[in-house]
Amino acid sequence: MSHHHQKYYERPDGYVYSQEELDAHRIPLPFRDRCVNFYVPFFKCQQIKTDNLFKTTLAAIDQTLDHWGGECYKEKRDYLNCAKAAYQYSLAVPVQNIYTANPWYASQEGVSAELEKNHFSSPVLY
């Protein structure tokens, strides 16, 4: 049985947050997953929004308008796209492991015995 190392989805700009930066931004542990490099900009945007008193007053309205393009719309969209890709990947891995363990079965089914090589390239479309 193979053990998978934690991989991160790549941002289009290639930036990767260090553990020190994640600590400095106080990113909660449950969000330090494959999509953390997309979560940090969303988290920071939300913080800036709530740190500003005037914007805090408008926060509830802005949440409702997010699907029309609220202040953190782009950051939220990017993070949610990544989270969706990570979830789909998590569903595919157990099935993929069956084929990896038995390449003959994979060939009979006409599927690849390996995961896509570029799976961890950015799930965000620009």
Side-chain angles (χ1 to χ4, degrees), residues 23 42 53 98-99:
D23 293 341
F42 176 52
L53 185 59
I98 292 168
Y99 294 129

Side-chain angles (χ1 to χ4, degrees), residues 63-116:
Q63 289 295 324
T64 325
L65 297 178
D66 259 357
H67 65 284
W68 284 321
E71 279 185 63
C72 298
Y73 174 77
K74 181 187 171 304
E75 293 84 355
K76 180 179 183 180
R77 181 204 64 198
D78 290 353
Y79 173 66
L80 292 178
N81 282 347
C82 184
K84 180 180 176 185
Y87 177 68
Q88 289 171 334
Y89 177 81
S90 73
L91 296 179
V93 168
V95 175
Q96 189 66 53
N97 286 343
I98 292 168
Y99 294 129
T100 304
N102 192 340
W104 177 86
Y105 184 62
S107 68
Q108 293 299 108
E109 294 288 316
V111 297
S112 170
E114 295 181 11
L115 285 167
E116 276 185 64

Side-chain angles (χ1 to χ4, degrees), residues 6-22 25 33-38 40-41 120:
Q6 176 80 347
K7 290 186 179 179
Y8 297 100
Y9 283 100
E10 298 167 7
R11 286 183 8 177
D13 62 8
Y15 192 82
V16 175
Y17 289 93
S18 67
Q19 288 303 317
E20 291 76 19
E21 287 174 299
L22 297 178
H25 290 305
D33 59 7
R34 296 177 191 275
C35 292
V36 71
N37 293 313
F38 290 98
V40 174
F120 288 98

